[in-house]
Each structure stands twice: as structure tokens, then as C-alpha cells.
Amino acid sequence: MTAASLSESSEGATRRTPWLSGVAIFVAVMTPLLAYLAPLGFAPLLALAGLLALPGLRLTRAAAPPLLILVAIALWAAASMSWSPLAIDVSKLKGYGDIESLTALKLFLQLATYGAAVVALRGVSDAGARRAATVLAYGAVALAGVAALDSLTGAAIYQTLHQVTGEAIRPDLAMVKVSLSTYALALLFWPAALILSRLWRRGLIWLMAVGTIVTSVICSSDACLGALAAGGVVWLLVYFARQTGAKVLVGLVAAPFVLAPLVVLVAVQTGTIAWLHRMVPASWDARLNIWTFAADHIQRHPFRGWGLDASRTFGPAIPLHTHNAQLQLWLELGAIGAALAGVFFCWLAYGVVRLSQRSRAEAAMAAAALVSYLVIGGLSFGVWQEWWLGLGAMTLIACGLARAVAQPQWTGLDELTPLA
């Protein structure tokens, strides 16, 4: 490489850095706002961030494996439309609304835009990443505080904001909207906690934790409480057992993608499901019915699945989706789709193993965020929901920003627990 080309490369990097820093700060500012006001906005936010970050996108060898796995999933999902009961006749597509209903097409668009955002923002300068991370962490604390206050007042704040726009909203629906913020809080808690710890603002971590838990309890966001609990256990495992704990994490992540249908079928055969039916509230009782139905139908097409979006075709037995990511993948994309998704998440988990060799605090953060996403996905949302995939991409970005925050200068402080 000549001196001239090196100079041009350096100048290009200099030009890209302020632009990417601006994109990172923009995303950090918008994240808590959307989490409270309009969680579905994470889809356009991450798509816009990906488009804005394109000038600074530089694909690396490290980014190739996960992107190739996701491309393989999207291709298999598209191929499965040929036998899906929800297959769409392309010749009948007329307007934007018809095209927007094509989940397979949206998967490729999301992979391109969300993927660009995640990969490009890893190239933000350290200074820009620290600024964006600080904004994100304080925004998460503010979100937790506002959400907790609003839940305690019966969503009075949310209702007032709706009235300002001229659109009234029922109190019960307003509480549902407030509850959606807990999903973003459960995922962002871990990178925000590391950022605040390294900024020597550990008291705010407790404020964020209390706000998230209070909102989750009042709004009955059981999945978020489960995610926080599971994330906390995994955080402790990786933080104290380091590389050994991270290796255990890989197995924990892989297991549901391999065993989910079998576990449900065994639970049915042993009477465990029947026993749970008598123990759990109505919402969980409905989930048990859905999971039992899905596991039974997976046996009919275990290899190829029923096809993309097939979950929507079973009527009242499965309202829209299975409320479990692994079962939905098995049901729609079969063993092939479930295996590809499992490989992707195991690749993320193996990244925690590598990271644990350098910083156990950062590894614990990444592990807790990963498990939190899987727990919520295993209990609540459909696999293909755009905003949920966007929030997952945002979590990856947040973890990347958190790692850029400089450790305090005091000896060994990085090894302190953020909750200490």
C-alpha cells in the first residue's frame, strides 16, 4: 500500500468518524423516547440508522459469520413460502400494503438495514462512542423513572400526552403501552449498568433497577421480570466463573433451540402440563395450550416446518404466533430453521467466551443482555416482529457502546460488580 493510499484511507476514516458519532448519539437519544412513547418505532429507527450509517460501513472478517448465518435464515424462510399455507401469489400484489405483508422480503430489508447499523456503529470513534453511551445510560435511567411514576399513577402521564395530541386513550390501554417500555429496559439495563458503573454513578443503577421492577410488577410484565432474573443469574455466572461460566452459557443458549418441542411433548406425556394448568393464571394457561398445540404440529413436518408465517393460519389455537421463539422457528421453519437460529445465538454466546478473556465485566454484560433477549422472546413476541428485531439490534449497539466507556483509573475497579 502506497503512502498516498494510506493518507486517503486516514482521511476517509476521519471524515467517517464524526458522521458515525452523530448517528450513534441520534440513536441513543431516540431509544428511551421510543421505548416509552412508541416501541414499534424501533423498526424505522434502526432502518434509518442503517441507511445513515452506510457511508461509514466497513465490513470486517469478524462480521462475516453472523451475517452469513442470518442470510441463510432469510433464504430458508423465503424458500419455505413455497409450501406455507400463507403463501402469497406474487402476481396479485398491487400496492404497498400488499408488499408490506411479505415477511420474507422484510427479513432481507431488515438484515440489510439493521445489520448495517450494528456493523457500522462498531466503527464509531472511542470519544463518540463514550458520548453516545453516556446519553444512552442516562436516558435509560430517566425512562425507568418516568415509567415507574406513570405506572404508579395509572398511566396518567401517558394519557395526558395522548390528550395533547388530540387523541384520548383508555386508561387500561395506556397501562399496556407503558408496560411495553419494560422490554427495552430489561435489555438495556445491562449495558446501561456497565456504563454507569464506569462513570462512577452506581447509585443510578439501583434507581434504574427499582424503576424497571416497579413498572414490571404493576403492569404485570412477567416476561421482563423473568428476563431480569435470568439475566442476573447469568451475569453472576459469567462474572465470577469467567471463561468457564461463558462456556456454560453456550450450552444454555443452544438447549432451547434443540429441545423445545421435545420438552413440551415430554411435559404433556408426564402430566406436567396438566399440573401447570391448575397452577398458573389465565395468560400462562393460554400459553401452555399454544405450546402444546405447536409441539404436536411440529411432529408432522419436523424437518422443513409448515412454512414462514404458518403460525397465523391455525386460528384460535395459535393467535398470531406461538409466544415462544424456539417453538415458532420449529413450527414454521423446521429443524433447519431452528438450527440456523441456534447457531447464530450460539455464535453470540461464544463471543462472550472470547470477551471473558479480556474483561469479565463486559462479558457478564453481554451474557446478561443475550439471555434477557432470549427469555423475553421465549415468552412474549413473535420471531418476525420488526420492532422486536430492531430492539435486538439496538441491544447489540448498546453493548458495543458500553465497551467503549473507559474504565475508572482506580486499580481493579473494573472488577467491581455494577450492583455493588
Side-chain angles (χ1 to χ4, degrees):
M1 183 177 290
T2 65
S5 61
L6 285 172
S7 176
E8 291 175 0
S9 176
S10 177
E11 290 175 1
T14 302
R15 288 194 298 268
R16 292 194 303 270
T17 296
W19 179 254
L20 288 178
S21 298
V23 174
I25 293 173
F26 166 71
V27 171
V29 170
M30 293 301 298
T31 293
L33 295 175
L34 288 178
Y36 177 72
L37 296 173
L40 297 183
F42 278 109
L45 173 64
L46 269 295
L48 177 60
L51 293 174
L52 292 175
L54 281 178
L57 178 63
R58 293 295 181 272
L59 291 176
T60 63
R61 183 178 299 179
L67 290 177
L68 289 175
I69 296 170
L70 292 176
V71 168
I73 294 174
L75 288 172
W76 177 247
S80 74
M81 286 301 297
S82 62
W83 60 80
S84 172
L86 205 65
I88 298 175
D89 186 350
V90 179
S91 64
K92 295 182 180 180
L93 299 177
K94 297 180 180 179
Y96 171 78
D98 295 330
I99 297 176
E100 203 275 335
S101 66
L102 294 176
T103 301
L105 175 61
K106 289 190 289 186
L107 287 178
F108 287 102
L109 295 176
Q110 291 158 17
L111 175 58
T113 54
Y114 299 0
V118 172
V119 174
L121 291 181
R122 291 180 66 86
V124 178
S125 67
D126 289 343
R130 284 193 294 269
R131 286 192 290 269
T134 302
V135 171
L136 182 64
Y138 283 113
V141 174
L143 172 62
V146 171
L149 177 62
D150 208 9
S151 63
L152 289 168
T153 59
I157 300 174
Y158 198 93
Q159 293 177 68
T160 301
L161 291 175
H162 255 263
Q163 290 173 357
V164 170
T165 63
E167 297 180 7
I169 184 172
R170 296 202 326 253
D172 58 330
L173 292 179
M175 285 292 286
V176 172
K177 297 296 185 181
V178 172
S179 71
L180 292 177
S181 65
T182 60
Y183 298 103
L185 283 169
L187 298 178
L188 297 177
F189 176 83
W190 307 105
L194 179 62
I195 295 166
L196 292 169
S197 176
R198 291 183 169 180
L199 293 176
W200 202 241
R201 297 291 186 269
R202 290 177 290 173
L204 293 180
I205 300 174
W206 285 108
L207 177 61
M208 181 171 57
V210 170
T212 303
I213 293 172
V214 166
T215 308
S216 298
V217 170
I218 294 177
C219 296
S220 299
S221 299
D222 297 338
C224 292
L225 293 172
L228 286 173
V233 170
V234 169
W235 192 97
L236 293 171
L237 173 67
V238 174
Y239 186 82
F240 288 106
R242 299 202 181 196
Q243 193 169 2
T244 301
K247 291 179 180 178
V248 172
L249 173 68
V250 177
L252 293 175
V253 168
F257 290 95
V258 177
L259 302 174
L262 179 62
V263 168
V264 175
L265 292 173
V266 170
V268 171
Q269 292 295 325
T270 58
T272 303
I273 292 291
W275 174 77
L276 289 173
H277 273 302
R278 299 191 296 269
M279 302 292 293
V280 300
S283 61
W284 289 96
D285 185 70
R287 282 180 171 84
L288 292 174
N289 287 330
I290 294 171
W291 296 343
T292 301
F293 181 90
D296 179 63
H297 280 65
I298 286 170
Q299 298 179 88
R300 302 188 185 183
H301 301 294
F303 184 74
R304 69 171 193 178
W306 287 74
L308 185 64
D309 279 340
S311 297
R312 297 174 176 267
T313 66
F314 293 106
I318 301 181
L320 297 182
H321 56 80
T322 62
H323 288 76
N324 179 276
Q326 290 80 12
L327 287 176
Q328 185 177 351
L329 287 165
W330 270 94
L331 182 65
E332 296 185 6
L333 303 184
I336 294 178
L340 288 172
V343 169
F344 172 75
F345 283 103
C346 284
W347 183 89
L348 293 179
Y350 188 72
V352 175
V353 177
R354 298 191 300 270
L355 186 57
S356 65
Q357 300 172 8
R358 184 174 70 84
S359 169
R360 62 175 180 174
E362 293 176 7
M365 167 203 67
L370 172 61
V371 168
S372 296
Y373 187 82
L374 290 174
V375 168
I376 295 175
L379 298 174
S380 294
F381 304 115
V383 173
W384 318 121
Q385 289 183 257
E386 297 99 318
W387 79 274
W388 178 239
L389 293 174
L391 187 54
M394 183 61 230
T395 304
L396 289 173
I397 292 171
C399 289
L401 295 175
R403 292 175 58 190
V405 177
Q407 301 176 17
Q409 296 301 313
W410 296 278
T411 302
L413 191 57
D414 178 52
E415 301 305 329
L416 291 176
T417 167
L419 300 180

